[in-house]
Amino acid sequence: MTTMTGHLTARGLMKSYWKGRNEVPVLRGVELEVEHGELLAVVGASGSGKSTLLHLLGLLDAPDAGEVLLEGARIDNRPPGDRDLLRNRTFGFIFQFYHLLPELTALENVLMPHLIGRSFWSYWRQRHPLRTEATALLERVGLGHRLTHLPAELSGGEMQRAAIARALAGRPAVLLADEPTGNLDAGSGQGILELLRDLNRERGLTMIVVTHDQNIARQADRVVQLAGGQIEEWSPALT
Ligand code: ADP
Ligand code: MG
């Protein structure tokens, strides 16, 4: 084994769900390492555990066994307050169905992480620079003309762009994306893909993108496959 330290590492991750008295194993010893600035795609059949893995890596859920390490230091067993901070400041999340708050404008959605991450007064004192930064993020993802639109007034691709801007608001080092183009037509999906690739390059963001979109997989730095609860080398589908 090499001793080089990756950015985010999974060691022997195990996770089961319980259906009544039956244990349904999903992850059976996942070994994975992503390097700083790498764009890693994780492919796998529906139900193979891709979302489960992403949730464990981003501390949205805890493994039954195994470890998650950030720059070589274990993080999955930190106290809840530390894990909240890591979720808010180190990780950014992008989901298939955007998870924008429907009553808030695009700009307010991007400001949300700042409202969650600090006291109201701390937010209030910093509201002007935070607003400027959130506006710049929306401009960066191509939504400068949609700041005050509600999610329902945006297209799917625009909602995902807003969700990407929100994910960047906490200045994450690692972006975790769960089927980010899964609900989009091919054209919008390609746009989202190019945006993620550009952000990865210009900000040195480490990215793990879960997908069964072959297009994403092809444009990643590296592709691994989740099958039988473990990470395997990827073999492109013969389609
Ligand atoms: P993927 O994202 O690759 O489609 P998931 O990680 O969502 O796979 O799910 C893996 C397996 O675990 C599936 O069989 C799914 O039904 C099951 N599963 C996921 N979440 C839960 C849960 N909260 N409770 C019970 N079973 C679950
Ligand atoms: Mg999934």
PDB file of all heavy atoms in Angstrom, residues 2-4 28 31 60 66 71 101 125 138 152 166 168 178 181 189 231:
ATOM      1  N   THR A   2       0.497   2.221  -0.816  1.00  0.00           N
ATOM      2  CA  THR A   2       1.162   3.506  -0.805  1.00  0.00           C
ATOM      3  C   THR A   2       0.748   4.295   0.442  1.00  0.00           C
ATOM      4  O   THR A   2      -0.320   4.096   0.980  1.00  0.00           O
ATOM      5  CB  THR A   2       0.820   4.318  -2.074  1.00  0.00           C
ATOM      6  OG1 THR A   2       1.249   5.642  -1.860  1.00  0.00           O
ATOM      7  CG2 THR A   2      -0.665   4.334  -2.337  1.00  0.00           C
ATOM      8  N   THR A   3       1.606   5.161   0.888  1.00  0.00           N
ATOM      9  CA  THR A   3       1.266   5.970   2.061  1.00  0.00           C
ATOM     10  C   THR A   3       0.883   7.400   1.657  1.00  0.00           C
ATOM     11  O   THR A   3       0.668   8.246   2.502  1.00  0.00           O
ATOM     12  CB  THR A   3       2.457   6.047   3.037  1.00  0.00           C
ATOM     13  OG1 THR A   3       3.593   6.492   2.314  1.00  0.00           O
ATOM     14  CG2 THR A   3       2.733   4.706   3.663  1.00  0.00           C
ATOM     15  N   MET A   4       0.817   7.658   0.362  1.00  0.00           N
ATOM     16  CA  MET A   4       0.438   8.986  -0.093  1.00  0.00           C
ATOM     17  C   MET A   4      -0.980   9.294   0.393  1.00  0.00           C
ATOM     18  O   MET A   4      -1.843   8.430   0.393  1.00  0.00           O
ATOM     19  CB  MET A   4       0.479   9.048  -1.615  1.00  0.00           C
ATOM     20  CG  MET A   4       0.712  10.433  -2.152  1.00  0.00           C
ATOM     21  SD  MET A   4       0.990  10.371  -3.933  1.00  0.00           S
ATOM     22  CE  MET A   4      -0.696  10.381  -4.504  1.00  0.00           C
ATOM     23  N   ARG A  28     -20.138  -3.248   1.015  1.00  0.00           N
ATOM     24  CA  ARG A  28     -19.462  -4.380   1.663  1.00  0.00           C
ATOM     25  C   ARG A  28     -17.954  -4.200   1.627  1.00  0.00           C
ATOM     26  O   ARG A  28     -17.236  -5.039   1.077  1.00  0.00           O
ATOM     27  CB  ARG A  28     -19.801  -5.682   0.923  1.00  0.00           C
ATOM     28  CG  ARG A  28     -21.276  -5.942   0.720  1.00  0.00           C
ATOM     29  CD  ARG A  28     -21.400  -7.080  -0.292  1.00  0.00           C
ATOM     30  NE  ARG A  28     -22.786  -7.391  -0.584  1.00  0.00           N
ATOM     31  CZ  ARG A  28     -23.385  -8.525  -0.206  1.00  0.00           C
ATOM     32  NH1 ARG A  28     -22.723  -9.449   0.457  1.00  0.00           N
ATOM     33  NH2 ARG A  28     -24.642  -8.740  -0.528  1.00  0.00           N
ATOM     34  N   GLU A  31     -13.427   0.622  -0.729  1.00  0.00           N
ATOM     35  CA  GLU A  31     -12.115   1.278  -0.676  1.00  0.00           C
ATOM     36  C   GLU A  31     -12.085   2.302  -1.800  1.00  0.00           C
ATOM     37  O   GLU A  31     -12.301   1.965  -2.958  1.00  0.00           O
ATOM     38  CB  GLU A  31     -10.987   0.269  -0.925  1.00  0.00           C
ATOM     39  CG  GLU A  31     -10.982  -0.937  -0.014  1.00  0.00           C
ATOM     40  CD  GLU A  31     -10.535  -0.597   1.405  1.00  0.00           C
ATOM     41  OE1 GLU A  31      -9.804   0.414   1.555  1.00  0.00           O
ATOM     42  OE2 GLU A  31     -10.920  -1.322   2.331  1.00  0.00           O
ATOM     43  N   LEU A  60     -23.413  12.742   5.645  1.00  0.00           N
ATOM     44  CA  LEU A  60     -24.864  12.854   5.788  1.00  0.00           C
ATOM     45  C   LEU A  60     -25.424  11.616   6.479  1.00  0.00           C
ATOM     46  O   LEU A  60     -26.565  11.603   6.933  1.00  0.00           O
ATOM     47  CB  LEU A  60     -25.537  13.026   4.422  1.00  0.00           C
ATOM     48  CG  LEU A  60     -25.222  14.322   3.677  1.00  0.00           C
ATOM     49  CD1 LEU A  60     -25.782  14.288   2.259  1.00  0.00           C
ATOM     50  CD2 LEU A  60     -25.781  15.526   4.421  1.00  0.00           C
ATOM     51  N   GLY A  66     -15.901   0.796   9.082  1.00  0.00           N
ATOM     52  CA  GLY A  66     -15.027   1.474   8.127  1.00  0.00           C
ATOM     53  C   GLY A  66     -14.833   2.928   8.514  1.00  0.00           C
ATOM     54  O   GLY A  66     -15.356   3.391   9.545  1.00  0.00           O
ATOM     55  N   GLU A  71      -7.928  14.304   4.067  1.00  0.00           N
ATOM     56  CA  GLU A  71      -6.485  14.556   4.126  1.00  0.00           C
ATOM     57  C   GLU A  71      -5.819  13.691   5.194  1.00  0.00           C
ATOM     58  O   GLU A  71      -4.985  14.159   5.975  1.00  0.00           O
ATOM     59  CB  GLU A  71      -6.218  16.041   4.347  1.00  0.00           C
ATOM     60  CG  GLU A  71      -6.679  16.812   3.126  1.00  0.00           C
ATOM     61  CD  GLU A  71      -6.516  18.306   3.222  1.00  0.00           C
ATOM     62  OE1 GLU A  71      -6.599  18.844   4.339  1.00  0.00           O
ATOM     63  OE2 GLU A  71      -6.319  18.929   2.170  1.00  0.00           O
ATOM     64  N   LEU A 101     -35.238  25.477  -1.977  1.00  0.00           N
ATOM     65  CA  LEU A 101     -36.432  25.807  -1.192  1.00  0.00           C
ATOM     66  C   LEU A 101     -37.383  26.600  -2.088  1.00  0.00           C
ATOM     67  O   LEU A 101     -37.004  27.651  -2.621  1.00  0.00           O
ATOM     68  CB  LEU A 101     -36.040  26.604   0.053  1.00  0.00           C
ATOM     69  CG  LEU A 101     -35.234  25.775   1.057  1.00  0.00           C
ATOM     70  CD1 LEU A 101     -34.731  26.644   2.208  1.00  0.00           C
ATOM     71  CD2 LEU A 101     -36.065  24.604   1.589  1.00  0.00           C
ATOM     72  N   ARG A 125     -24.720  41.277   9.960  1.00  0.00           N
ATOM     73  CA  ARG A 125     -23.560  42.160   9.825  1.00  0.00           C
ATOM     74  C   ARG A 125     -22.858  41.969   8.488  1.00  0.00           C
ATOM     75  O   ARG A 125     -22.313  42.903   7.942  1.00  0.00           O
ATOM     76  CB  ARG A 125     -22.562  41.897  10.959  1.00  0.00           C
ATOM     77  CG  ARG A 125     -22.935  42.584  12.275  1.00  0.00           C
ATOM     78  CD  ARG A 125     -21.765  42.564  13.247  1.00  0.00           C
ATOM     79  NE  ARG A 125     -21.361  41.219  13.597  1.00  0.00           N
ATOM     80  CZ  ARG A 125     -21.921  40.508  14.572  1.00  0.00           C
ATOM     81  NH1 ARG A 125     -22.899  41.017  15.299  1.00  0.00           N
ATOM     82  NH2 ARG A 125     -21.520  39.290  14.833  1.00  0.00           N
ATOM     83  N   LEU A 138     -24.031  33.225  -8.750  1.00  0.00           N
ATOM     84  CA  LEU A 138     -25.122  32.996  -9.705  1.00  0.00           C
ATOM     85  C   LEU A 138     -24.724  33.485 -11.094  1.00  0.00           C
ATOM     86  O   LEU A 138     -25.079  32.867 -12.105  1.00  0.00           O
ATOM     87  CB  LEU A 138     -26.412  33.661  -9.217  1.00  0.00           C
ATOM     88  CG  LEU A 138     -27.121  32.856  -8.121  1.00  0.00           C
ATOM     89  CD1 LEU A 138     -28.149  33.699  -7.379  1.00  0.00           C
ATOM     90  CD2 LEU A 138     -27.790  31.608  -8.712  1.00  0.00           C
ATOM     91  N   ALA A 152     -39.716  27.541  -9.143  1.00  0.00           N
ATOM     92  CA  ALA A 152     -40.782  27.152 -10.082  1.00  0.00           C
ATOM     93  C   ALA A 152     -40.728  27.970 -11.366  1.00  0.00           C
ATOM     94  O   ALA A 152     -41.320  27.581 -12.376  1.00  0.00           O
ATOM     95  CB  ALA A 152     -42.148  27.293  -9.422  1.00  0.00           C
ATOM     96  N   ARG A 166     -25.402  27.374  -4.916  1.00  0.00           N
ATOM     97  CA  ARG A 166     -25.613  27.200  -3.474  1.00  0.00           C
ATOM     98  C   ARG A 166     -24.543  26.283  -2.885  1.00  0.00           C
ATOM     99  O   ARG A 166     -24.013  26.538  -1.795  1.00  0.00           O
ATOM    100  CB  ARG A 166     -27.002  26.607  -3.217  1.00  0.00           C
ATOM    101  CG  ARG A 166     -27.274  26.372  -1.726  1.00  0.00           C
ATOM    102  CD  ARG A 166     -28.546  25.590  -1.493  1.00  0.00           C
ATOM    103  NE  ARG A 166     -28.518  24.349  -2.251  1.00  0.00           N
ATOM    104  CZ  ARG A 166     -29.564  23.546  -2.407  1.00  0.00           C
ATOM    105  NH1 ARG A 166     -30.729  23.870  -1.878  1.00  0.00           N
ATOM    106  NH2 ARG A 166     -29.453  22.437  -3.109  1.00  0.00           N
ATOM    107  N   LEU A 168     -21.606  25.984  -3.807  1.00  0.00           N
ATOM    108  CA  LEU A 168     -20.311  26.666  -3.759  1.00  0.00           C
ATOM    109  C   LEU A 168     -20.261  27.768  -2.702  1.00  0.00           C
ATOM    110  O   LEU A 168     -19.185  28.279  -2.386  1.00  0.00           O
ATOM    111  CB  LEU A 168     -19.989  27.280  -5.131  1.00  0.00           C
ATOM    112  CG  LEU A 168     -19.795  26.285  -6.277  1.00  0.00           C
ATOM    113  CD1 LEU A 168     -19.631  27.035  -7.584  1.00  0.00           C
ATOM    114  CD2 LEU A 168     -18.601  25.386  -6.009  1.00  0.00           C
ATOM    115  N   ASP A 178     -24.777  13.924  -6.804  1.00  0.00           N
ATOM    116  CA  ASP A 178     -25.520  12.672  -6.961  1.00  0.00           C
ATOM    117  C   ASP A 178     -26.420  12.754  -8.196  1.00  0.00           C
ATOM    118  O   ASP A 178     -27.477  13.379  -8.154  1.00  0.00           O
ATOM    119  CB  ASP A 178     -26.364  12.413  -5.703  1.00  0.00           C
ATOM    120  CG  ASP A 178     -26.879  10.982  -5.648  1.00  0.00           C
ATOM    121  OD1 ASP A 178     -26.719  10.251  -6.649  1.00  0.00           O
ATOM    122  OD2 ASP A 178     -27.432  10.600  -4.606  1.00  0.00           O
ATOM    123  N   THR A 181     -27.208  15.237 -13.536  1.00  0.00           N
ATOM    124  CA  THR A 181     -27.898  15.452 -14.814  1.00  0.00           C
ATOM    125  C   THR A 181     -29.046  14.458 -14.989  1.00  0.00           C
ATOM    126  O   THR A 181     -29.660  14.391 -16.051  1.00  0.00           O
ATOM    127  CB  THR A 181     -26.924  15.288 -16.008  1.00  0.00           C
ATOM    128  OG1 THR A 181     -26.460  13.930 -16.048  1.00  0.00           O
ATOM    129  CG2 THR A 181     -25.719  16.198 -15.873  1.00  0.00           C
ATOM    130  N   GLY A 189     -28.177  18.799 -19.613  1.00  0.00           N
ATOM    131  CA  GLY A 189     -27.238  17.953 -18.873  1.00  0.00           C
ATOM    132  C   GLY A 189     -25.812  18.211 -19.309  1.00  0.00           C
ATOM    133  O   GLY A 189     -24.902  18.316 -18.478  1.00  0.00           O
ATOM    134  N   ILE A 231     -15.993  -1.289  -4.763  1.00  0.00           N
ATOM    135  CA  ILE A 231     -15.497  -0.471  -5.866  1.00  0.00           C
ATOM    136  C   ILE A 231     -14.618  -1.336  -6.775  1.00  0.00           C
ATOM    137  O   ILE A 231     -13.715  -2.033  -6.304  1.00  0.00           O
ATOM    138  CB  ILE A 231     -14.674   0.722  -5.329  1.00  0.00           C
ATOM    139  CG1 ILE A 231     -15.585   1.726  -4.625  1.00  0.00           C
ATOM    140  CG2 ILE A 231     -13.878   1.391  -6.437  1.00  0.00           C
ATOM    141  CD1 ILE A 231     -16.535   2.469  -5.534  1.00  0.00           C
TER     142      ILE A 231
END
